[in-house]
Structure formats: C-alpha cells, structure tokens
Amino acid sequence: MGSHPASNTSLSNLLEDRYKTPMTFAAPTIEPLSETLRAILTHKSTRSFLSTSLPPGILEILITCAQSAPTSSMQQSYSIIPIQDPKHKEAVSHICGDQDFIRQAPLFLIFCADLHRMGNMAEKYGVENQALDKMDMLLTGIIDASLAAQNAALASESLGLGTCFVGGVRNHAAELIELLGLPERVCGVIGLAVGFPDPSIKVDIKPRLPMSEVLHYERWNSSRQEEGVRVFDEVMGRHRHRLSKIGRKPWSQWMGEWGRDGVSGLDGREKIRALLEDQGFGMD
C-alpha cells in the first residue's frame, strides 16, 4: 500500500525524535531495524484523511490483527463495530465530539467492552455467574478492548495508513449505545479512525515525558518528578513554538487544571459510572 515513513532513519534518531532530547542511554545496534519498531516509534495521530476508500480485505485484516492481541483467560470480552456508511458515520461523529476527521476517515472502528457474550453463555448452561457483578470483569473487558484497539492501530500504520484514537465514544455514551443498538453489558471504550493520511498536511511526532518520569526500577521513586516535568514543559514549549502554537499554558499547568471543576474536559464522561450501571455492568 504505502511505504512507511522515515524508512532510512536510524534507531537512535527515532528514539531522540520521540523525546525531542538527546539520548540518555546507548541504543543497541539493530540491523536491519524491525519495521514493527519503526512503526511504533514513528506513531503520530492523523486528523486529516483523504476520501480514498480502503482496499477490499483491509478491514478483515485489521480485525484479525485486533483479535491476535492477548486476552485475559481467553475471555475475548470485547466486540468491534466498524462504521463506514457516510450517513451513519455523520451521526456517530456528532455524538463523539463532532470531530470532522471521523467523517473524513473511510473507516471508524468502535471497540466495546462486551460481557454480554459471557452472560449469554452463563444463561445457556444455567450458571449464576457472580463474576459478572464484579468491577474486575468490567476492567477485563476494557483492557481486552484496548489491547485489541492498539493492535489494530499498529497494523494500520504498518500498512501506511493513518490512525487517530477517539475517546469521544464515551462523551455521550447513552446516545451511542442507542444509535448502535448495544445490548446489556456492552459499552464503547475507544474509537479508532483509519484511512489514508492527507499528504498535504504535515504532522509532527509529539514528544513524551522523559523516560525517567515513567520508569520506576523495582520500586516507585518520584524524587526526580519535579525536574522531569520541568524538562518536559520546556520540550513541549519548543515543540509548540515550531508549530507556531504560541501562548499556550505549560503542559504541567494544563494537566494540573484538567477537570478542576469536576467536569471540565470530560464532555459528559463524568456520568459514565451511572451509564455503566444502567447498562448492567457490575460495580462491586
């Protein structure tokens, strides 16, 4: 389909580009560099898609890759709903934050936590499945769906396609449940827009927190957090300046103020617990 970007870039350069800072460790020599590593390290969200349709069979390949993800105790407690019809996608996009790139993308995948299937099996065999009343089962469904979604995204990008995850499937979850006809114990977890990136729109790789801020050897250690966050504020400031995004708050302040009034930035997700309970998920 499409060639993968940065195909001639070294591993060290890819690592530095992710952090936007010089390397703090010696990268091993890996020749030839794995295309899987290259796809992971060059990930960036695509929010401008061409109208080009995906070739036949690509959807099924992506779903097979999604199903190849690990799953807890072989439960496979998720389901995937592809949205391709333009009118249906318009309605879904409106519910999920009214984001235009969802309309643009030829494919929008909605990954759902699905305990409905297990409930049906319990009923079939006359079993009172008390596990379905426990919150851990909901977490299992969320984790399973998330692992499947990441596999689908990685597979897409390895094929030269662009992707963007969409948490907006949880914004107005009740409306989405009604639109999609989701049964009891099924709820959207994450969406994934997939398509051919618009080559006229340049997208830079966004930096990440210093490795020292998320890597805790053996035991938790936050002694370097203040310094790590300060460095990242500077890195993000330079990144935004390159993109002419001037005058924005430091990343740390943005994070500190996130949800300060309890609902800011949640766009309806503050009601998610009640929605999950109404949908039949256990919270014990």
Side-chain angles (χ1 to χ4, degrees), residues 43-58:
H43 163 75
K44 49 192 174 185
S45 295
T46 297
R47 293 182 175 84
S48 295
F49 295 96
L50 299 177
S51 59
T52 310
S53 299
L54 299 181
I58 292 298

Side-chain angles (χ1 to χ4, degrees), residues 27-71:
T29 300
I30 303 176
E31 295 292 347
L33 181 59
S34 159
E35 287 304 310
T36 302
L37 274 179
R38 193 182 301 280
I40 292 172
L41 291 172
T42 59
H43 163 75
K44 49 192 174 185
S45 295
T46 297
R47 293 182 175 84
S48 295
F49 295 96
L50 299 177
S51 59
T52 310
S53 299
L54 299 181
I58 292 298
L59 169 61
E60 290 75 13
I61 290 174
L62 298 184
I63 300 304
T64 304
C65 290
Q67 287 192 266
S68 298
T71 173

Side-chain angles (χ1 to χ4, degrees), residues 73-135:
S73 301
M74 276 298 289
Q75 291 177 18
Q76 302 170 83
S77 50
Y78 62 92
S79 286
I80 307 167
I81 302 177
I83 309 296
Q84 300 176 92
D85 177 78
K87 289 184 178 180
H88 195 197
K89 191 139 46 74
E90 170 66 36
V92 169
S93 174
H94 181 70
I95 292 173
C96 300
D98 204 27
Q99 301 179 84
D100 193 52
F101 69 85
I102 298 177
R103 302 182 184 93
Q104 291 178 4
L107 175 64
F108 186 60
L109 298 171
I110 300 177
F111 293 81
C112 301
D114 181 358
L115 302 184
H116 182 75
R117 185 183 301 114
M118 182 179 287
N120 286 345
M121 297 303 100
E123 183 177 344
K124 175 180 178 179
Y125 292 104
V127 176
E128 184 180 350
N129 191 335
Q130 297 180 1
L132 289 172
D133 296 328
K134 305 301 180 183
M135 184 181 289

Side-chain angles (χ1 to χ4, degrees), residues 191-205:
L192 182 69
V194 181
F196 291 98
D198 184 343
S200 69
I201 306 296
K202 179 175 172 52
V203 180
D204 283 350
I205 293 175

Side-chain angles (χ1 to χ4, degrees), residues 169-188:
V169 298
R170 304 188 303 278
N171 282 13
H172 303 286
E175 293 179 39
L176 191 64
I177 285 170
E178 183 177 358
L179 179 66
L180 302 180
L182 301 185
E184 183 182 44
R185 298 195 183 105
V186 178
C187 185

